[in-house]
Amino acid sequence: MSELTHVRADGSAHMVDVTTKAETSRTAVAEGFVRTRADVVDKLFTADLPKGDALPVARVAGIMGAKKTPEIIPLCHPLPLGKITVDFERLPDGVRIEASVKTRGVTGVEMEALTAVTTAALTVYDMIKAVDKMAVIDGVRVLAKTGGKSGDWSV
């Protein structure tokens, strides 16, 4: 078990010690999807939903979610987030959500990017559920990261 970074030799969880790691610029990009009917997509992108204009609300929710990541994911380190973007792409069967998070720190921001995407997706779902209770959130994943010991990568 000692090979796992968040597990001590006795099997108990702990927060990784990052105090000796070098501070570098780090970014992460994540995506996720909310799948719904075409008529709901129209309502979503024309701000014609019963709860109002969902995308600006979901954007702010995603940004707030990224900032709250260490409060809701137990072993995440609090980081000074320098930039968070949340964007939406219209699809025939829903919306694609992409979040990008940047920091200068000692650990990566993949969890913050994932939290931004999922918080935005949950908000979109909440805003459209009055017109489509069968909407689905799926495909949440990290697309790319830069910085840190493990280097840069993308899908």
Side-chain angles (χ1 to χ4, degrees):
M1 285 236 210
S2 61
E3 293 176 21
L4 300 173
T5 60
H6 287 76
V7 179
R8 294 189 292 202
D10 69 358
S12 62
H14 74 109
M15 191 172 198
V16 174
D17 181 0
V18 296
T19 57
T20 61
K21 291 177 74 176
E23 186 177 280
T24 63
S25 293
R26 298 162 184 265
T27 63
V29 179
E31 74 175 353
F33 300 84
V34 178
R35 307 290 182 184
T36 186
R37 300 186 319 262
D39 64 303
V40 178
V41 174
D42 288 339
K43 290 178 180 299
L44 180 62
F45 281 87
T46 59
D48 189 29
L49 292 163
K51 286 191 169 186
D53 195 355
L55 297 180
V57 175
R59 176 174 284 116
V60 172
I63 292 167
M64 291 173 65
K67 292 165 69 173
K68 297 287 188 178
T69 300
E71 293 178 33
I72 59 175
I73 309 295
L75 302 177
C76 285
H77 293 84
L79 298 171
L81 303 181
K83 184 172 185 182
I84 306 164
T85 60
V86 177
D87 294 305
F88 305 97
E89 176 186 349
R90 183 181 180 141
L91 303 173
D93 67 340
V95 59
R96 176 181 173 270
I97 303 164
E98 182 175 295
S100 176
V101 179
K102 295 181 180 183
T103 191
R104 180 152 183 82
V106 296
T107 190
V109 286
E110 296 92 341
M111 294 306 299
E112 287 75 7
L114 289 166
T115 303
V117 164
T118 54
T119 306
L122 287 165
T123 303
V124 169
Y125 180 89
D126 181 53
M127 299 287 284
I128 68 173
K129 70 183 180 192
V131 292
D132 183 7
K133 291 174 181 31
M134 301 302 291
V136 173
I137 296 169
D138 70 8
V140 175
R141 65 180 179 157
V142 176
L143 295 174
K145 73 162 268 315
T146 65
K149 181 177 72 174
S150 62
D152 301 353
W153 65 267
S154 65
V155 296

